[in-house]
């Protein structure tokens, strides 16, 4: 068993009973090929929760500062995370994300770029739209519906894929593409609250 699978099983064993995690919509997940998962961001536990509920291994972009933390810097690369510099366009991490998608892997993003302080869905950054437009990946919206309170139900909902073929032909901007993705995440949240 590799470290990713081991870590996923440990996280699942701890968080599933603690937060009564329920997963919906796994059937929307393609079994192969590049997939871009875009989720809302309400808690620091979001990446492990999305990672443990996803049917496939996910590569997450994580803020560069986390890779300086003593314990995390050894663990993050082993669970497929890679650093991104926040606040400006980090070309290296954009290239890495595109490469993963082209290799048929799963890239996980939190388009808001940071946790929502209110729990409400914030505005997404252009990075999600960039990946959606520049790759042939299947775009899967994901909604985490909390709160993260001990023994209170937490839902992770994977929505139907967003067909980006038409949008790619229309040459829409990365910002417009992100708005489409965020709108779909918002609808999942409203429907499953």
């Amino acid at each position: 068993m590799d470290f990713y699978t081991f870590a996923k099983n440990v996280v699942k064993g701890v968080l599933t009973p603690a937060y009564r995690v329920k997963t919906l919509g796994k059937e929307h997940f393609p079994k192969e090929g590049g997939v871009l998962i875009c989720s809302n961001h309400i808690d620091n536990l979001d990446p492990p929760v999305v990672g443990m509920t996803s049917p496939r291994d996910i590569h997450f972009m994580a803020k560069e500062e986390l890779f300086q933390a003593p314990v995390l810097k050894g663990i993050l690369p082993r669970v497929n995370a890679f650093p991104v510099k926040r606040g400006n366009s980090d070309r290296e991490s954009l290239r890495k994300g595109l490469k993963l998608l082209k290799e048929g892997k799963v890239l996980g993003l939190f388009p808001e770029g940071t946790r929502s302080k209110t729990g409400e869905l914030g505005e997404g950054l252009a990075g999600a739209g960039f990946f959606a437009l520049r790759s042939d990946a299947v775009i899967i919206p994901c909604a985490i519906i909390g709160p993260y309170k001990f023994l209170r139900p937490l839902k992770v909902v994977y929505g139907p894929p967003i067909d980006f073929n038409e949008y790619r032909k229309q040459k829409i901007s990365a910002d417009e593409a992100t708005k489409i993705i965020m709108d779909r995440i918002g609808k999942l949240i409203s429907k499953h609250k």
Side-chain angles (χ1 to χ4, degrees):
M1 178 187 307
D2 65 1
F3 185 80
Y4 186 100
T5 307
F6 169 75
K8 182 173 179 172
N9 289 337
V10 169
V11 167
K12 198 182 275 193
V14 173
L15 297 184
T16 301
Y19 298 111
R20 295 188 177 170
V21 180
K22 184 176 182 189
T23 310
L24 304 170
K26 278 190 184 181
E27 69 277 6
H28 298 305
F29 224 98
K31 290 190 173 29
E32 55 190 35
V35 176
L36 178 66
I37 298 177
C38 294
S39 176
N40 60 320
H41 199 2
I42 57 173
D43 193 276
N44 285 331
L45 289 173
D46 292 342
V49 163
V50 173
M52 75 181 205
T53 58
S54 163
R56 291 173 58 192
D57 293 0
I58 302 178
H59 296 258
F60 278 110
M61 278 186 163
K63 62 183 179 182
E64 189 179 42
E65 299 81 25
L66 293 176
F67 289 82
Q68 316 306 320
V71 176
L72 290 177
K73 71 180 177 187
I75 293 174
L76 289 174
R78 296 178 72 195
V79 291
N80 300 340
F82 63 98
V84 61
K85 293 181 182 88
R86 294 197 305 174
N88 54 10
S89 85
D90 179 350
R91 290 176 192 275
E92 193 178 322
S93 61
L94 292 174
R95 274 197 293 272
K96 167 98 174 160
L98 278 179
K99 182 175 183 284
L100 288 165
L101 292 171
K102 286 184 174 147
E103 288 171 353
K105 297 199 165 74
V106 181
L107 177 63
L109 289 185
F110 298 96
E112 293 157 287
T114 189
R115 280 174 294 127
S116 166
K117 304 286 183 272
T118 62
E120 297 299 311
L121 188 64
E123 273 195 39
L125 303 172
F130 169 85
F131 288 119
L133 294 170
R134 294 286 182 92
S135 71
D136 293 327
V138 173
I139 318 304
I140 301 282
C142 175
I144 302 168
I145 303 165
Y148 279 88
K149 294 241 166 79
F150 188 62
L151 297 180
R152 293 268 305 276
L154 180 78
K155 275 190 222 163
V156 180
V157 184
Y158 294 102
I162 305 170
D163 185 357
F164 254 82
N165 290 328
E166 205 49 51
Y167 299 125
R168 288 175 187 127
K169 285 181 200 152
Q170 292 169 17
K171 304 262 192 284
I172 64 171
S173 72
D175 283 321
E176 290 170 309
T178 297
K179 281 192 177 79
I180 292 164
I181 294 167
M182 296 308 287
D183 179 59
R184 196 66 75 83
I185 295 169
K187 285 182 173 148
L188 283 178
I189 293 169
S190 301
K191 182 177 176 184
H192 294 279
K193 253 188 175 170

